[in-house]
Amino acid sequence: MLIQKIIFPALLFVLAYGLNAQQKDIKLPPEATEVWEPQPRIVTSGKTMNTPPSDAIVLFDGKNTDAWSKLNGDAIEWTIEGDALVVKPGSGDIMTRRKFSDFQLHIEFRTPAVVDGEGQGRGNSGVFLQRRYEVQVLDNYENKTYSNGQAGSLYKQTPPLVNASRQPGTWQTYDIIYTAPVFNKDGLKTRSAYVTVLHNGVIVQHHTEIKGTTEYIGWPKNIAHGPDGIQLQDHGNLTAFKNIWIREM
Ligand code: MG
């Protein structure tokens, strides 16, 4: 009798209350999980995917080479042809005068239409992030080379996920998202740099850990450094660049 009249209903009540409490959580108003402040800053996108957004720092738009210097600080010798900046073989790498840490970089490149050479000898150049970490530029259209030296590779470290190369003589794009490494006061690396690369809009590096400096021979090194420039490689080929812009993060 006691069980039927008091304990059983009490148990039912407790069970029902518990269920109801769970349902209350589920029935939160949608506004409860909306985040309104702060709002992301408005940036006007370019007219096409390739033109710089409103807050970009334009590094080259065909007008002048003011943003660039030789590695010793002198004016560069690479030539402007139309809206393109063309490597002058033998004149050396160039770098931005401005230094960067974390950024989004857009750069377009064109390897020579007339193919001569093979492997690493075809349209070779490179985009060095913070002047140390090379995203390889190469004519890899029907041109076999080591996978971790291909266009879109993190040179000698990580091959691209796919080969998104266009034919030689046609313009191609890199969109590079980069976060700089962190070093402690003793000069030890406490966080690696990471890079994401889209080649012609196709992801080829997905949050790839950068193990250290790009070395042609030997292993990556990790020597403490601060913000540094974007460096473009003179590898002896007439590779051209255009429409270069960067957004600091
Ligand atoms: Mg290179």
Side-chain angles (χ1 to χ4, degrees), residues 150-165:
Q150 280 197 19
S153 68
L154 190 58
Y155 186 74
K156 287 282 183 85
Q157 290 188 29
T158 311
L161 291 167
V162 295
N163 181 346
S165 296

Side-chain angles (χ1 to χ4, degrees), residues 49-85:
M49 286 296 286
N50 293 335
T51 53
S54 59
D55 63 346
I57 298 163
V58 174
L59 296 174
F60 181 74
D61 62 3
K63 295 191 180 89
N64 62 66
T65 58
D66 294 353
W68 301 87
S69 75
K70 288 186 173 187
L71 303 190
N72 65 5
D74 289 352
I76 70 169
E77 294 178 52
W78 293 21
T79 52
I80 297 179
E81 295 176 14
D83 59 355
L85 180 61

Side-chain angles (χ1 to χ4, degrees), residues 120 124-128 134-138 149 155 233 235:
Q120 293 287 312
N124 196 332
S125 183
V127 181
F128 282 79
E134 183 185 15
V135 176
Q136 174 71 309
V137 170
L138 195 70
Y155 186 74
Q233 187 181 41
H235 202 280

